[in-house]
């Protein structure tokens, strides 16, 4: 699996796992490790603050750093091994040098599922044996975040429950502090049109009957923004090479008016309805990028003439003039 992420401190490992036990560890062999130390990260929850203009930033503090660790594992599939699953709360830990007490080992608090979106929940290292095994193989991917002391330079990633044989993967923490790339850098976004609308017709279906409706503002005006969105790369962390996927939510997009204030998001067009909190996943195969899609988003504002700025999360990605 090749992940075209922003360069991280990478450490290639041998396929033979290093273990401290004589009995069999988890059936995993590390193929590659990526490590990135961070002072702050954007919390990707679109319901936390306003992701364009008042985002929630997670802060490590002066004495600690966040560390993002991504490990790709080869799995020793067999007739007996058809699934692996190691939870971040019970079967993943980061052991610092000289710390032998399992109660003092560091547990992951976050994960990255769609790069570079940080979620506050422990990562689950999980994979199932391919249906066409042994003709097909499938790697397992761990993509988690820990908090470590700022002066820590090395650690060991432990996979497996504390009272069972564990896989040990050395982790280099000596690299400099960096940043995850803004999500907008992984997409090309263009505005196709910006217009003011008096109302938006809607249509819903229930038990074979079509029920028509209309969204009409009682104050302000509706602004419709039609955009073309094209991912530059696969952003699903555990996706196979050549089978690409990229993801965004409706609230990822925000429009700022000529007054310099964000407009009220109404949602995106959903086959005749308007909906916020909509998940959008684009899939494509092969080399290059061909996950291009068109979307229309609606906002409520003054409708004043001037320059409107479109944001993808915290980054301005396009502008349009309204006469």
């Amino acid at each position: 699996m090749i992940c075209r992420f922003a360069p991280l401190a990478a450490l290639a490992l041998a396929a033979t796992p290093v273990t401290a036990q004589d009995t069999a560890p988890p059936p995993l062999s590390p193929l590659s490790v990526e490590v990135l130390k961070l002072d702050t990260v954007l919390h990707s929850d679109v319901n936390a603050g306003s992701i364009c203009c008042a985002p929630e930033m997670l802060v490590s503090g002066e004495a600690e750093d966040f560390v993002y660790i991504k490990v790709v594992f080869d799995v020793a599939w067999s007739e007996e091994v058809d699934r692996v699953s190691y939870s971040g709360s019970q079967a993943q830990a980061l052991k610092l040098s000289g710390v032998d007490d399992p109660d003092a080992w560091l547990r992951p608090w976050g994960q990255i599922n769609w790069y570079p979106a940080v979620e506050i929940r422990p990562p689950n290292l999980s994979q199932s044996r391919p249906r066409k095994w042994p003709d097909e193989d499938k790697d397992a991917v761990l993509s988690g975040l820990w908090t470590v002391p700022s002066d820590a330079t090395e650690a060991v990633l432990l996979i497996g429950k504390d009272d069972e044989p564990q896989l040990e993967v050395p982790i280099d923490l000596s690299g400099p502090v960096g940043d995850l790339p803004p999500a907008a850098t992984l997409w090309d976004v263009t505005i196709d049109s910006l217009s003011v609308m008096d109302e938006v017709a809607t249509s819903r279906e229930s038990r074979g009957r079509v029920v028509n409706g209309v969204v009409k503002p009682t104050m302000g005006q509706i602004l419709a923004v039609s955009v073309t969105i094209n991912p530059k790369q696969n952003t699903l962390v555990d996706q196979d090479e050549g089978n690409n996927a990229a993801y965004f939510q409706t609230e990822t997009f925000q429009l700022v008016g000529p007054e310099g204030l964000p407009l009220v998001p109404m949602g995106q067009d959903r086959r005749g309805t308007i909906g916020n909190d909509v998940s959008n996943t684009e899939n494509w195969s092969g080399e290059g990028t061909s996950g291009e899609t068109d979307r229309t988003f609606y906002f409520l504002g003054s409708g004043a003439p001037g320059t409107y700025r479109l944001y993808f999360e915290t980054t301005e990605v396009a502008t349009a003039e309204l006469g």
Side-chain angles (χ1 to χ4, degrees):
M1 174 179 177
I2 299 175
C3 297
R4 300 179 179 89
F5 294 165
L8 306 181
L11 172 65
L13 300 179
T16 302
V18 180
T19 65
Q21 297 85 5
D22 294 330
T23 52
L28 304 171
S29 299
L31 297 174
S32 66
V33 176
E34 298 175 11
V35 178
L36 179 62
K37 293 172 67 174
L38 307 150
D39 277 337
T40 62
V41 294
L42 171 68
H43 185 200
S44 62
D45 184 357
V46 293
N47 297 310
S50 171
I51 202 164
C52 79
C53 313
E56 180 183 14
M57 300 300 297
L58 308 178
V59 182
S60 65
E62 293 185 4
E64 296 179 313
D65 291 320
F66 299 137
V67 59
Y68 169 57
I69 300 174
K70 179 183 172 217
V71 186
V72 180
F73 291 99
D74 179 64
V75 185
W77 302 116
S78 66
E79 294 293 346
E80 293 74 28
V81 179
D82 60 4
R83 180 171 176 79
V84 293
S85 183
Y86 301 95
S87 71
S89 58
Q90 296 181 330
Q92 300 174 32
L94 202 60
K95 177 184 174 183
L96 300 179
S97 297
V99 180
D100 297 321
D101 182 3
D103 292 336
W105 295 345
L106 305 177
R107 307 290 175 173
W109 56 263
Q111 70 163 5
I112 294 180
N113 185 25
W114 296 92
Y115 190 76
V118 171
E119 303 173 56
I120 302 181
R121 58 176 177 174
N124 184 30
L125 173 58
S126 179
Q127 191 57 270
S128 297
R129 188 181 64 195
R131 289 181 298 173
K132 296 183 180 180
W133 175 85
D135 295 328
E136 290 185 1
D137 193 17
K138 186 80 171 178
D139 296 331
V141 179
L142 169 64
S143 181
L145 290 110
W146 279 258
T147 299
V148 304
S150 297
D151 58 359
T153 59
E154 59 183 23
V156 176
L157 174 64
L158 303 174
I159 305 297
K161 293 185 178 180
D162 296 345
D163 57 349
E164 298 176 357
Q166 296 170 320
L167 173 70
E168 299 184 6
V169 181
I171 300 296
D172 182 2
L173 299 175
S174 64
V177 172
D179 294 290
L180 290 168
T185 63
L186 308 181
W187 298 77
D188 286 322
V189 181
T190 57
I191 295 178
D192 299 320
S193 66
L194 172 65
S195 59
V196 175
M197 304 181 68
D198 295 327
E199 61 184 38
V200 178
T202 60
S203 178
R204 302 174 185 270
E205 185 174 343
S206 177
R207 297 184 176 274
R209 178 174 291 275
V210 175
V211 181
N212 294 318
V214 63
V215 176
K216 190 171 184 177
T218 59
M219 60 182 70
Q221 291 185 292
I222 298 173
L223 286 93
V225 183
S226 295
V227 300
T228 298
I229 311 164
N230 191 20
K232 297 180 180 180
Q233 64 176 63
N234 170 67
T235 65
L236 182 56
V237 168
D238 65 351
Q239 191 78 332
D240 290 334
E241 182 181 2
N243 294 319
N244 303 294
Y247 167 90
F248 66 90
Q249 292 177 265
T250 303
E251 295 95 331
T252 300
F253 284 92
Q254 178 64 63
L255 192 64
V256 174
E259 303 94 341
L261 296 173
L263 279 63
V264 177
M266 297 175 59
Q268 74 177 65
D269 182 82
R270 295 186 64 196
R271 299 181 298 276
T273 66
I274 298 177
N276 265 313
D277 196 22
V278 179
S279 299
N280 297 266
T281 304
E282 304 306 319
N283 296 276
W284 71 100
S285 299
E287 296 294 329
T289 57
S290 54
E292 183 176 288
T293 187
D294 298 323
R295 292 289 189 274
T296 297
F297 302 98
Y298 298 98
F299 299 89
L300 187 63
S302 67
T307 301
Y308 285 76
R309 295 177 290 151
L310 184 67
Y311 280 74
F312 189 105
E313 290 191 354
T314 59
T315 306
E316 181 181 324
V317 292
T319 62
E321 295 293 326
L322 190 63

